[in-house]
Amino acid sequence: MAADRSRADSLRWMAQGTVIFFGALAELPDDLLDQPAALDGWSGKHLLAHVAANADALVNLAHWARTGEERPMYSSPAQRDADIEAGATRPAAELRAWAAQAAETLDARLAELDEQQWTHAVRTAQGRTVPAEEIPWMRAREVMVHAVDLGAGVEFDDLPADFLAALIDDITAKRSGAAGPALALTATDHGRMWTVSGDGDPAPVTGTLAGLAAYLSGRRPGDGQWPELPRWL
Ligand code: ZN
């Protein structure tokens, strides 16, 4: 699953994604943050609170990797959701400042890790045990995909192609281990194919890297052309 991406790739994508996310956020006026976002029942403020809290949560994992002292991302799924709800009631300026500060702190904490600490096992909010090297990948995924969700004009087409290919690697691997339809995916602009194991004969899905990533991440409906997918993450 992590086969083709290096730590350097993930750190680069995290940095690029952070620039893309905060660039999009800067374009979004405060009053639009109160509007519904592209995600189930969330406003832009919920999304921003989630992205800020995600950086704080990954700082916890960086601490765990550096010291060996177990520090989970969130104390519980209910606490995670409650913190997003509470965050969404805060003034926009506070939320913007929290998100920016949390992203900076995460950068600083990751920069402190030495070669050995990067290999230390930590646990994700989904309960997977992964090496600390997954932290920048987890963050890259959040800032890149949620930059699109902000609705400020960033589309999957605007994300780096090598990141999109790595995202498709990640999602197809996860979807292959979960319930859902079997898929045979072909990228028209990348010379790559992916499969998702699942129910039935594999449904052929052909599109650009950006189109496949949007579809697989649940950001683009199948429109009767491609099978509808269960939730990812
Ligand atoms: Zn997220």
Side-chain angles (χ1 to χ4, degrees):
M1 181 178 88
D4 297 335
R5 75 181 128 79
S6 67
R7 186 205 312 160
D9 288 332
S10 296
L11 286 166
R12 176 168 48 82
W13 292 326
M14 174 176 144
Q16 290 173 331
T18 300
V19 169
I20 293 170
F21 180 86
F22 284 98
L25 181 62
E27 295 291 311
L28 207 60
D30 284 353
D31 57 325
L32 285 188
L33 281 176
D34 286 314
Q35 301 297 312
L39 289 174
D40 30 62
W42 277 8
S43 66
K45 280 186 170 180
H46 285 92
L47 187 57
L48 189 49
H50 162 59
V51 169
N54 168 262
D56 288 345
L58 294 174
V59 164
N60 288 345
L61 294 191
H63 173 91
W64 185 349
R66 190 170 57 79
T67 65
E69 180 199 351
E70 180 168 333
R71 193 171 278 187
M73 288 180 69
Y74 305 101
S75 45
S76 69
Q79 188 62 51
R80 169 190 176 274
D81 294 346
D83 287 348
I84 292 171
E85 284 302 328
T89 67
R90 291 168 65 176
E94 267 182 40
L95 278 173
R96 288 176 191 271
W98 174 25
Q101 179 62 57
E104 258 179 51
T105 304
L106 178 60
D107 271 346
R109 292 294 91 81
L110 290 179
E112 289 169 0
L113 297 181
D114 67 24
E115 278 306 311
Q116 225 221 318
Q117 289 161 349
W118 277 115
T119 67
H120 286 174
V122 295
R123 197 174 56 247
T124 71
Q126 284 86 32
R128 287 186 311 126
T129 297
V130 297
E133 291 193 317
E134 282 286 290
I135 299 171
W137 168 249
M138 290 160 69
R139 182 61 178 173
R141 220 169 48 189
E142 288 293 312
V143 283
M144 293 275 198
V145 174
H146 291 321
V148 176
D149 294 332
L150 274 177
V154 174
E155 302 295 343
F156 278 88
D157 286 306
D158 300 314
L159 305 181
D162 57 354
F163 166 78
L164 290 172
L167 182 65
I168 295 170
D169 288 344
D170 192 17
I171 304 178
T172 52
K174 281 210 186 65
R175 287 198 176 281
S176 290
L183 305 172
L185 304 131
T186 307
T188 51
D189 53 353
H190 195 64
R192 277 282 303 274
M193 297 185 65
W194 290 265
T195 56
V196 170
S197 53
D199 301 331
D201 290 330
V205 174
T206 300
T208 61
L209 277 179
L212 295 178
Y215 167 66
L216 287 167
S217 63
R219 266 67 178 177
R220 167 182 167 169
D223 287 335
Q225 187 193 3
W226 300 342
E228 294 304 321
L229 299 176
R231 273 186 70 103
W232 163 65
L233 288 181

